[in-house]
Amino acid sequence: MPNSPTEAPHPIRVGVVGVGVMGYNHARVLSDLPGATLVGIADPDDGQRGKVAALLGCEAVPGIADLIERGVDALVVAAPTHLHHDIALTAIEAGKHVLVEKPIAPVVAEAEAIVAAARAKGVALMVGHVERFNPAVEAIKNAIRGEEILSIGITRVGPFPPRMSNVGVVIDLAVHDIDLICHFTGSQIAEIQPQVKAAVADREDIALLQFRTANGVLAHINTNWLTPFKARTVHVATRKKYVIGDLLTRQVTECFDYKPDGSYSMRHLPVAYAEPLRVELNRFLEAVRGDKDSAVTGEDGVAAIATAIRCLGEPTPAEAPRRLKVAG
């Protein structure tokens, strides 16, 4: 039951499973987040979990069962994606609320199984599409609210990341923007026209993806690992305005009031300062308490990975899937 307005909420006891780059950051934020108590971290790598425990001053254990025994209320699953299904189901079966890093699972069938289990058990499930909580994304969303959206263009490029194993830019990068297109339009992707190429890597390192949403918005994603610098930009055209957002510098500009002579007005929109991961985890705690619904639902996560897999031309859930091993 939610707490009364005058009653301070009880801290949510949270554990983190998997403390690579993202898992460490989750644990770092949780260790200093009001309303949460970091019970501990779990990772099978002795050295990694010991290093993170020393940095954060928290308890470190080998596996999820150890965290469950310590009485956690919720778990963040930041292990490699091919482990998400088993770890999430173990947590859910134990009655724990779960935040699963993106992508929710490597194949649609496993993603749907996580969603079904959480629904049956009545626990909160949220998917860690952290870009949703970028203040620039929120500013763009507010600027286009109530507008007739015509098109969306997103660029997400950068140099090759040495941490990657056997996945390409679609699963690592474009899945963020597939989710953002759905978030901005309030619709799902209905049609895809993907072009992907492995230029210098074993898997695709260039992807040009075109979409049409169910409500008729045209969208495209340009992503690669061939650019020597990082760029993260969003362009949204509506019937009455054009909005440009830089997700790295967090600058959002709005063009409007078009004139017959080709002139127009332009203004920079206010963008709040916030760490996206901190906002995400606060929203997860609200879902755990029952104060709000999950900001990124399990169904959102299923839709994103399903579209990404379609872009790669990989088997449907009815066919034998090939597992993707990628850090969450």
Side-chain angles (χ1 to χ4, degrees), residues 103-182:
I104 182 174
V107 294
V108 174
E110 290 189 355
E112 290 177 336
I114 294 170
V115 174
R119 186 184 299 118
K121 200 70 174 180
V123 298
L125 171 65
M126 187 162 148
V127 184
H129 282 277
V130 70
E131 197 75 281
R132 285 258 200 123
F133 306 96
N134 187 320
V137 167
E138 182 180 8
I140 295 168
K141 178 77 170 175
N142 289 335
I144 63 177
R145 196 180 306 277
E147 296 282 331
E148 181 186 353
I149 302 172
L150 303 177
S151 69
I152 299 174
I154 304 180
T155 297
R156 186 179 297 267
V157 297
F160 186 85
R163 69 180 174 85
M164 295 311 299
S165 55
N166 69 332
V167 298
V169 292
V170 172
I171 297 295
D172 186 47
L173 297 182
V175 73
H176 283 291
D177 303 312
I178 289 168
D179 179 69
L180 287 184
I181 290 167
C182 297

Side-chain angles (χ1 to χ4, degrees), residues 124-314:
L125 171 65
M126 187 162 148
V127 184
H129 282 277
V130 70
E131 197 75 281
R132 285 258 200 123
F133 306 96
N134 187 320
V137 167
E138 182 180 8
I140 295 168
K141 178 77 170 175
N142 289 335
I144 63 177
R145 196 180 306 277
E147 296 282 331
E148 181 186 353
I149 302 172
L150 303 177
S151 69
I152 299 174
I154 304 180
T155 297
R156 186 179 297 267
V157 297
F160 186 85
R163 69 180 174 85
M164 295 311 299
S165 55
N166 69 332
V167 298
V169 292
V170 172
I171 297 295
D172 186 47
L173 297 182
V175 73
H176 283 291
D177 303 312
I178 289 168
D179 179 69
L180 287 184
I181 290 167
C182 297
H183 179 56
F184 288 139
T185 62
S187 184
Q188 294 298 319
I189 290 170
E191 300 175 23
I192 65 169
Q193 291 182 314
Q195 295 291 336
V196 300
K197 180 178 180 180
V200 298
D202 292 335
R203 289 185 63 87
E204 84 286 349
D205 47 25
I206 308 171
L208 301 174
L209 312 174
Q210 296 186 79
F211 308 100
R212 184 189 295 271
T213 65
N215 60 0
V217 177
L218 300 181
H220 72 265
I221 297 170
N222 170 26
T223 187
N224 69 57
W225 280 332
L226 307 179
T227 308
F229 55 86
K230 280 189 176 183
R232 309 281 190 267
T233 58
V234 177
H235 291 238
V236 182
T238 76
R239 185 70 66 179
K240 296 180 180 178
K241 62 177 68 172
Y242 193 87
V243 179
I244 306 166
D246 188 315
L247 304 187
L248 294 179
T249 65
R250 299 183 184 174
Q251 294 181 324
V252 179
T253 304
E254 180 182 75
C255 304
F256 62 100
D257 195 22
Y258 309 144
K259 302 295 185 183
D261 63 2
S263 63
Y264 58 89
S265 299
M266 184 171 65
R267 63 188 169 207
H268 296 296
L269 301 180
V271 179
Y273 175 80
E275 181 181 3
L277 187 59
R278 191 177 183 90
V279 178
E280 176 184 84
L281 286 167
N282 268 319
R283 289 300 305 271
F284 177 53
L285 295 182
E286 291 173 345
V288 170
R289 294 191 189 99
D291 297 337
K292 292 184 180 179
D293 293 335
S294 292
V296 185
T297 66
E299 290 81 1
D300 293 337
V302 171
I305 191 61
T307 298
I309 290 171
R310 286 175 63 199
C311 288
L312 293 172
E314 297 200 354

Side-chain angles (χ1 to χ4, degrees), residues 55-136:
L55 286 169
L56 300 179
C58 65
E59 187 174 4
V61 296
I64 183 175
D66 304 289
L67 290 177
I68 292 172
E69 287 177 2
R70 283 157 176 76
V72 295
D73 302 308
L75 287 162
V76 173
V77 180
T81 304
H82 69 286
L83 300 175
H84 283 187
H85 172 265
D86 291 350
I87 294 173
L89 290 188
T90 297
I92 291 166
E93 181 59 31
K96 310 305 177 185
H97 307 279
V98 178
L99 170 62
V100 184
E101 255 306 325
K102 72 84 189 170
I104 182 174
V107 294
V108 174
E110 290 189 355
E112 290 177 336
I114 294 170
V115 174
R119 186 184 299 118
K121 200 70 174 180
V123 298
L125 171 65
M126 187 162 148
V127 184
H129 282 277
V130 70
E131 197 75 281
R132 285 258 200 123
F133 306 96
N134 187 320

